[in-house]
Amino acid sequence: MNAPQRPGQASRGVVGSRQLLGVQTFDVARLTTHVVPVVPNTFIAVSGVGPDGDSNGSGKTSFLSAVSILLADPQWRLEVNGGKFASGILFKPDAAGVSRAQQIPAAAYGYVVGVFAEPDDVIGTALTVWVRIATTAPYVQARWTGGLHVADADTDAERDIQADSLWNSLPPRSAVSARRMAEELYGPAPRCLTYLD
């Protein structure tokens, strides 16, 4: 799946030189299950409307957090605590502004999906990475497969239903723990460095 490595060149992991072209989330904060296109080398504005009609609580930081988890940002300390801190981005009714009367439970787990490819040959080089985040151990796990494997149903609810089936259909041999995720997917050098407090 990766380009041949030159002598002396550090491994860039399973993802290799592919660029992140799309992100899809399931049960992450108030985010929908729509695939969000990511255009390399461009400025990306993240905005939204929160539960009080302003941008507070709209999911801006949650989206950035989801992308940084997908890219195994060292801030999440995946190799130390198994990604326990990452579970904080999962849907919580109170934080999302959902009234108790609606009785929507907090998410026990969710997914962040990334589609990586070479921009000049997306179909031929596509690689989809799924990261499962849970409130109990194992907190973070990753799986990947060649090609495009995202939920594509017509509605948000239908895409949400597809998520578990898609995760379970990914090759078990591609499964990797939080501890090994960064190096296995991206090599020994961090792919993403952010700071979110």
Side-chain angles (χ1 to χ4, degrees):
M1 290 229 117
N2 288 331
Q5 195 172 320
R6 286 174 273 179
Q9 180 184 22
S11 166
R12 295 191 69 188
V14 172
V15 172
S17 61
R18 295 175 184 88
Q19 296 179 13
L20 179 62
L21 300 182
V23 176
Q24 186 174 36
T25 60
F26 299 90
D27 288 320
V28 172
R30 298 178 73 232
L31 303 176
T32 69
T33 61
H34 293 90
V35 175
V36 177
V38 176
V39 181
N41 301 316
T42 62
F43 175 79
I44 300 170
V46 180
S47 66
V49 177
D52 296 329
D54 57 14
S55 68
N56 291 328
S58 65
K60 301 180 300 295
T61 301
S62 299
F63 180 77
L64 295 173
S65 295
V67 172
S68 72
I69 291 167
L70 172 68
L71 297 175
D73 185 326
Q75 78 158 342
W76 295 105
R77 299 174 52 204
L78 299 175
E79 74 290 345
V80 176
N81 66 21
K84 185 175 183 177
F85 298 134
S87 66
I89 73 165
L90 294 173
F91 175 80
K92 295 178 204 70
D94 293 341
V98 176
S99 72
R100 294 195 191 277
Q102 292 176 291
Q103 298 198 5
I104 299 174
Y109 65 92
Y111 302 100
V112 179
V113 182
V115 176
F116 296 85
E118 299 287 350
D120 52 347
D121 182 15
V122 172
I123 300 300
T125 64
L127 177 84
T128 305
V129 173
W130 280 66
V131 177
R132 185 181 189 274
I133 303 165
T135 57
T136 58
Y139 299 104
V140 174
Q141 302 172 73
R143 294 181 182 176
W144 66 87
T145 191
L148 182 63
H149 294 274
V150 297
D152 60 359
D154 292 334
T155 69
D156 202 54
E158 291 171 325
R159 287 188 296 272
D160 193 56
I161 291 169
Q162 287 182 310
D164 287 334
S165 296
L166 286 163
W167 168 260
N168 290 326
S169 73
L170 296 172
R173 70 183 188 292
S174 75
V176 65
S177 67
R179 180 180 296 273
R180 292 185 38 241
M181 184 175 130
E183 188 160 359
E184 187 82 19
L185 292 175
Y186 308 110
R191 182 85 170 218
C192 174
L193 293 171
T194 60
Y195 178 77
L196 298 171
D197 188 9

